Amino acid sequence: MTPAPGPALEARGLGKRFGGVVAVDGASLSVGRGEILGLIGPNGAGKSTLFDLLSGVQRADRGQVLLFGEDVTALPAHARARRGLTRTFQLARELDRLTVIENLVLAAPDQPGEALWRALVRPAAVARAERAAIARAGELLETVGLADKRHEPARALSGGQKKLLELARCLITGAPLILLDEVGAGVAPALLDHLTDTIARIRREHDRTLMVIEHNMGLIGRLCDRVVVMAGGKPIADGDFDAVCADPRVVESYLGLAA
Amino acid sequence: MTAYLVAILTSVGFYVVLALALNLQWGLTGMLNFGLAGFYALGAYASAITTELGGMPFLAGFAMAIVVGTLAGLAVAGLSARLVGDFLAIATLGFAEIVRFLALNEDWLTRGPRGFPIETRPIPEGLSREASAWAYLGLVALLVVVAFVIVERIRTAPMGRVLRAIREDELVPAALGKDVFRFKLKAFALGAALAAAAGSLYAHWVQNISPDHFTTALAIGVWMSLIVGGTGNNRGVLVGATLVMVILEGSRFLTGVVPGLDAERLSALRIALIGVLIIVTVRFRPEGLLPEPRIRLETPAKGA
């Protein structure tokens, strides 16, 4: 990615309704390059739906999504991923019957062996790219601490390990922008610190921009440069963690409920 | 007896090719296809029409079957691949019925229910009855080998990994930048082409085809082969197809051995045996006789 001015990701007036329910109601926000943005809010605030609209998993009814300055509103998920946005899911979506390392190698971009004729003919380039992807995946397994699970089927992992696997899978795509949906949900406390450290290290060492949905305020406080609070389908507050926590609207709509 | 065995093996061969095609679509990619018999029939009729009405040689008919099968596969998948599981199943079932009814009613093209006699043969003229039976078996074996190599190479290639990822949860490969729709189109169309190729060879082997050769019951037999043999495992599919065929055909010899068993009872018993086989498999070995092989991706040694 050539560094260019402007935000990594921008939402302009995004809206989505399901039948009579307005899930996202004119949401606008932007994520700066290299930033870790936290997205918090009560259940049903529309956070995950917003992620779906940003990543192209669902089409927005209205509004625009700009990815590195390009309007990607009409593009499906895989095309947005190719342009540098990938994501994890609220409930970990590991590929059950693929091994842990296969889950990663799958995500390596531009594998020549994915084309039908190359899969059949197997020119040398296929094996070369496959070797490189496997080596890279092996390194990433070390990074997230799953190296000893390499050949396990992914369904055998614990909840936290699945989250780590998803994180590593996003990294190998090379996408500069990663959306993490409830990255700490269902993760054992002992693993949570490891997960938080890993995310912080990824930003430092791999130069990624991250947007994180999370209910664990400790994780958000430690990790995020900036926090956006959603309620009723749109952002109601935006600022650094301490300022947002002190905002009376936030206390009333979200934090107050948790207390 | 040898002649009978050669004939059985030949029909096992057609079954195996169909089962490999289904393994590509369902076993690897997770696309339900209940209309396999439709693509098989399409290949048979496309080939027969090309050679008998068009006066072309067998190879032209065979090529035509593959082209028509691919196009039909692209059309069915293109129109319905965005549909999930059950809806694709219904769409494909509908397709097979449409093909069958066309074959039944468009007499001018297909000769309808009376059957379509096929004179063109893929083997040299003047062979003895026995030699030509062996020659047909050789051709079917060749088709089996080609189909096996194709599906097995796809399975072990990065493409196969994407297909298996789509089978597990298609949202994930999409979020990772894979064009899921295109992969599904390719897998489905290639499976359809293999089924049509098998149909072509079948037509020129039996030398008289009619719509009741291509019923949903046939497709169910192929599905059974997958379930019993091992969905996702090409060797398992080979074993499964052979086993199902042996039961279907071998039970013939039970008349005369088992007292009180007439032909009518036997055909019912045959289906019951298959049913028992399925229940036993699903109960005691749900992945089938040969489960999907696990692929071990090892990091190559430095400097290798």
Side-chain angles (χ1 to χ4, degrees), chain B residues 2 30 32 50 72 75 77 98 102 121 135 137 156 179 198 210 212 220 228 233 247 250 290 294 302:
Chain B
T2 315
L32 279 169
T50 306
I98 289 169
L102 280 177
R121 315 187 70 190
L137 180 58
T156 54
D179 190 341
S210 71
D212 56 6
I220 291 173
V228 172
N233 186 327
I247 291 179
L290 302 178
R294 189 170 302 171
K302 285 272 185 289

Side-chain angles (χ1 to χ4, degrees), chain B residues 199-223:
Chain B
S200 163
L201 197 52
Y202 173 75
H204 294 268
W205 175 62
V206 290
Q207 295 173 351
N208 193 314
I209 53 172
S210 71
D212 56 6
H213 289 204
F214 308 101
T215 55
T216 300
L218 171 93
I220 291 173
V222 177
W223 272 95

